[in-house]
Amino acid sequence: MKAATVVGGVIETFLGASPPMRITCWDDSTWGDETAGFTVHVRSPDALRRLLWDPNELGLGRAYVAGDIEVDGSIFELFDLRDRITERIDSDASLNLSRRQQLDLARDAWRLGVLGRRPAPPPEEAKLRGRLHSIRRDKEAITHHYDVGNDFYRLVLGPTMTYSCAFFATDSTTLEQAQTLKHDHICRKLALEPGQRLLDVGCGWGSMAIHAAREYGVEVVAVTISDEQADLARERVRHAGLDDRVEIRIQDYREVDDGPFDAISSIGMFEHVGAERTRVYFQQLKGLLKPGGRLMNHAISRTEGEGELERDSFPARYVFPDGQLHEVGRTVSLLQDEGFECRDVESLREHYAQTLRCWVRNLEEHWDEAVRLVGPGRARVWRLYMAGSAVGFEGHRLNIHQVLAVQPHASGDSGMPRTRPDTVTEVDRVDTVADIDLRSGHDHALSADIA
């Protein structure tokens, strides 16, 4: 029996007609359309063993990261195939394999010699220790995700070194411009003014801190628990000539005690906090904020419910160990329970899908260099997770929201304007800032390409 015949038969069971794809297997057998532009190479029997032991996204993810499966063509076609199968199963209960079909598959797997012990997970899988969301374990989780090499992230993220959703004002906006627009969008929501103090929680490589200090004249305390991020962020601050206005600290948010601040930005940080600590998080930030001060919580959100990423999901094992996504209504309620007043909620879902597609393109265009820097397994993790996340945002399985909250004065005065700024005027202003940055070379300064 040929391996490709078995694999192709399973695909036809779920999709009916043969899809426009080709399969090659380790025994040199092939199945499907020889002219198709999308080919899945099953390079080892371990690919099927992984899927038999974990017949879900974790099994597929492990097979891809280990190199047991390779894809020729767009990585997004792999997710299109997954979604087509899922939709067919959800709409037609008869497509769930019967006991007889399961036994037939087991018999075929035995004939192919792929039954056996579960293969060891690829070494890129996270292995955390200690109490969930303790300071020590949180640092381990952040180290797993972020301390994989600043040069690798520069390849993926581009010169702005910004690892969060960009803001694409027009169809022609570049990724670099869109990240500058995002920072300016947040600065304007926070109403930053010269001389104010800004706390940037989870500051990454310092892009928001540098933009706020340079463009708005504020003093910034920026905290991260990633050693590699802090090292590069400090270098970028020096290169931008902002040592007197930006302080980069290796510090957990629970350890910040030198408020008050006029404003706080939390960009891509809330996902790491954990459900049982969300109240502690907002209580801590509220205690650091002046009356009338504003908080921007920019975070990926679930479309419904809340809870930790499923333990056996690919993101939980390889990308965001201990990560948690919260439904935005729950986030608003938590903020208001702790005494904040929520003034604005904005979804940037389509913007994040576009951002992720830009990152995937950057990675694929620099693939050989990425593999040299972090190894093939780590590069595969990032390719799979970013492409899958883009599809998730496009399909409304994921969302991202900017929630703007204020701590009112004792009198009840919020200090907020009665209406939002005119949107067109705001976009025009932000485009101008981005154009100035790119012409003046500020983005090159931010990239820290220092000889």
Side-chain angles (χ1 to χ4, degrees):
M1 174 170 288
K2 299 296 185 181
T5 302
V6 174
V7 177
V10 172
I11 292 174
E12 281 191 324
T13 296
F14 289 111
L15 292 183
S18 298
M21 64 177 294
R22 181 171 177 258
I23 293 172
T24 72
C25 287
W26 68 90
D27 61 356
D28 295 326
S29 62
T30 64
W31 175 91
D33 184 355
E34 297 290 332
T35 65
F38 177 60
T39 300
V40 176
H41 302 283
V42 185
R43 299 195 180 282
S44 166
D46 277 349
L48 299 187
R49 292 189 184 106
R50 294 184 192 280
L51 289 168
L52 285 170
W53 279 100
D54 297 289
N56 50 33
E57 68 172 48
L58 180 60
L60 178 63
R62 282 173 168 167
Y64 180 74
V65 171
D68 299 329
I69 291 176
E70 183 57 274
V71 173
D72 282 348
S74 171
I75 187 68
F76 292 99
E77 293 190 58
L78 183 63
F79 290 97
D80 290 341
L81 179 65
R82 177 204 64 181
D83 290 345
R84 287 175 60 192
I85 291 174
T86 300
E87 289 172 5
R88 288 263 297 176
I89 292 174
D90 289 345
S91 64
D92 188 346
S94 68
L95 290 175
N96 289 296
L97 295 183
S98 66
R99 180 64 175 169
R100 174 61 182 273
Q101 289 172 309
Q102 291 174 344
L103 290 173
D104 287 345
L105 280 176
R107 181 198 61 207
D108 291 342
W110 177 78
R111 289 177 177 176
L112 289 173
V114 299
L115 292 181
R117 183 176 300 177
R118 173 184 285 176
E124 292 78 13
E125 191 162 313
K127 300 175 181 65
L128 304 185
R129 301 163 296 167
R131 182 169 52 85
L132 183 65
H133 292 301
S134 64
I135 291 178
R136 175 181 173 180
R137 179 163 171 146
D138 278 355
K139 184 171 178 62
E140 282 190 17
I142 293 299
T143 296
H144 171 83
H145 186 82
Y146 294 100
D147 289 359
V148 299
N150 292 327
D151 290 340
F152 171 74
Y153 274 109
R154 189 179 287 112
L155 289 180
V156 175
L157 304 180
T160 62
M161 286 295 283
T162 303
Y163 193 20
S164 53
C165 175
F167 187 89
F168 293 87
T170 69
D171 291 340
S172 61
T173 303
T174 67
L175 175 62
E176 291 74 23
Q177 289 172 324
Q179 291 294 11
T180 301
L181 298 180
K182 186 268 302 296
H183 293 135
D184 208 72
H185 195 52
I186 292 173
C187 288
R188 287 170 60 77
K189 286 185 176 182
L190 291 173
L192 298 182
E193 296 179 356
Q196 290 184 334
R197 294 185 79 212
L198 168 69
L199 173 64
D200 187 28
V201 186
C203 67
W205 293 273
S207 300
M208 172 64 185
I210 292 171
H211 183 88
R214 188 185 65 222
E215 300 295 337
Y216 288 83
V218 297
E219 297 179 4
V220 186
V221 172
V223 299
T224 177
I225 55 176
S226 164
D227 296 332
E228 290 194 20
Q229 284 187 336
D231 288 344
L232 181 54
R234 288 166 180 159
E235 186 178 3
R236 298 174 77 202
V237 168
R238 288 193 298 271
H239 193 59
L242 294 169
D243 281 332
D244 60 331
R245 276 186 275 168
V246 178
E247 179 187 2
I248 304 293
R249 300 177 184 171
I250 300 177
Q251 189 175 37
D252 190 276
Y253 71 90
R254 289 162 280 197
E255 300 171 328
V256 179
D257 60 2
D258 57 335
F261 294 90
D262 298 279
I264 299 176
S265 54
S266 173
I267 306 171
M269 168 63 191
F270 194 49
E271 300 90 330
H272 298 288
V273 171
E276 71 278 11
R277 293 196 175 271
T278 51
R279 291 188 182 277
V280 173
Y281 185 64
F282 289 140
Q283 287 168 2
Q284 171 73 359
L285 299 188
K286 185 173 183 289
L288 294 169
L289 197 59
K290 289 181 179 178
R294 301 184 189 185
L295 165 66
M296 168 58 69
N297 194 64
H298 171 116
I300 300 172
S301 55
R302 297 169 65 96
T303 53
E304 59 182 21
E306 70 167 325
E308 288 188 43
L309 297 174
E310 293 182 14
R311 182 182 177 189
D312 287 336
S313 70
F314 180 76
R317 292 295 188 99
Y318 286 87
V319 187
F320 290 110
D322 294 346
Q324 181 121 38
L325 305 181
H326 309 274
E327 192 272 324
V328 66
R330 174 65 172 156
T331 299
V332 169
S333 295
L334 283 168
L335 280 163
Q336 300 202 140
D337 285 348
E338 298 308 321
F340 286 99
E341 180 186 6
C342 290
R343 300 291 302 219
D344 190 80
V345 177
E346 181 179 15
S347 170
L348 299 178
R349 179 168 66 87
E350 293 83 0
H351 294 266
Y352 214 166
Q354 188 170 350
T355 303
L356 284 155
R357 283 186 176 266
C358 288
W359 291 343
V360 171
R361 184 169 60 249
N362 285 346
L363 176 60
E364 292 177 342
E365 288 177 352
H366 300 92
W367 184 256
D368 291 342
E369 179 67 6
V371 170
R372 185 188 70 79
L373 290 169
V374 300
R378 185 70 65 185
R380 287 168 176 270
V381 167
W382 257 248
R383 186 187 186 207
L384 194 67
Y385 122 74
M386 292 191 300
S389 296
V391 172
F393 281 105
E394 289 164 351
H396 192 218
R397 291 186 289 273
L398 293 170
N399 209 322
I400 182 164
H401 291 92
Q402 290 186 349
V403 179
L404 179 65
V406 63
Q407 181 172 189
H409 293 271
S411 65
D413 181 19
S414 69
M416 298 285 295
R418 294 189 181 188
T419 59
R420 293 183 178 90
D422 179 78
T423 303
V424 175
T425 302
E426 182 175 359
V427 169
D428 289 345
R429 141 75 184 167
V430 173
D431 272 334
T432 300
V433 170
D435 290 343
I436 291 172
D437 282 352
L438 293 172
R439 286 199 305 270
S440 66
H442 277 151
D443 275 335
H444 295 292
L446 286 177
S447 69
D449 292 329
I450 302 171

